[in-house]
Amino acid sequence: MDSFPGYGFGSVDPIFKIFMILFFIIFFIAIVIILINVVKGIAQWGNNNQQPMLSVDATVVLKRMNVSRHHNNNMSATTSRTQYYVTFQVQSGDRMEFLVPDDEYGMIVEGDVGKVTFQGTRFKGFVREK
């Protein structure tokens, strides 16, 4: 006989068993998603390192920002992160969008013509024609 009735493994409520099963399934799925994203990031980093660094003539056709906000209810704080993107069109008509550092983003204007330098999906710089 259990010294704490209702707390033994044999007498667990069926709803609690279902909850625990769902909890572990969701936890496992979350871990798998995180691992997949880590592996993809490492693969992209390795792929970029294997690519040659290229400089090509290009025109700036679009600039955009992506602002993401995170609200922390426990401390009533809000944090935000801004990512800057620039789309370049090369002479063949192809377009390439790169994540650009904020200091360079401010110096680039839509319509600028010059040379964009990149390695894989990694933006390395843009030099405007004079």
Side-chain angles (χ1 to χ4, degrees):
M1 181 172 177
D2 289 326
S3 57
F4 297 103
Y7 292 104
F9 287 111
S11 60
V12 173
D13 185 18
I15 293 175
F16 183 73
K17 285 182 183 178
I18 292 171
F19 171 78
M20 291 305 292
I21 290 170
L22 289 175
F23 175 80
F24 284 112
I25 289 172
I26 292 170
F27 180 77
F28 178 74
I29 290 171
I31 294 297
V32 168
I33 289 171
I34 290 169
L35 288 175
I36 288 171
N37 284 325
V38 167
V39 169
K40 283 170 120 178
I42 291 170
Q44 183 67 53
W45 177 78
N47 186 39
N48 281 340
N49 287 341
Q50 293 177 353
Q51 299 297 316
M53 193 166 317
L54 300 173
S55 290
V56 296
D57 293 328
T59 302
V60 177
V61 292
L62 182 67
K63 290 174 57 173
R64 71 179 180 92
M65 295 183 288
N66 182 26
V67 180
S68 58
R69 292 184 177 89
H70 176 73
H71 302 284
N72 185 345
N73 292 332
N74 294 338
M75 302 186 72
S76 299
T78 301
T79 58
S80 65
R81 178 176 139 190
T82 304
Q83 293 177 305
Y84 301 93
Y85 295 91
V86 177
T87 302
F88 297 92
Q89 183 168 326
V90 295
Q91 291 175 340
S92 67
D94 292 334
R95 291 185 176 196
M96 300 176 291
E97 182 179 64
F98 295 105
L99 177 63
V100 175
D102 58 348
D103 57 331
E104 292 203 40
Y105 180 85
M107 301 299 292
I108 297 172
V109 178
E110 287 184 17
D112 278 351
V113 177
K115 285 203 179 287
V116 63
T117 303
F118 61 96
Q119 183 179 22
T121 61
R122 214 179 279 150
F123 175 81
K124 293 293 189 175
F126 177 73
V127 178
R128 181 182 308 107
E129 285 183 1
K130 297 186 175 166

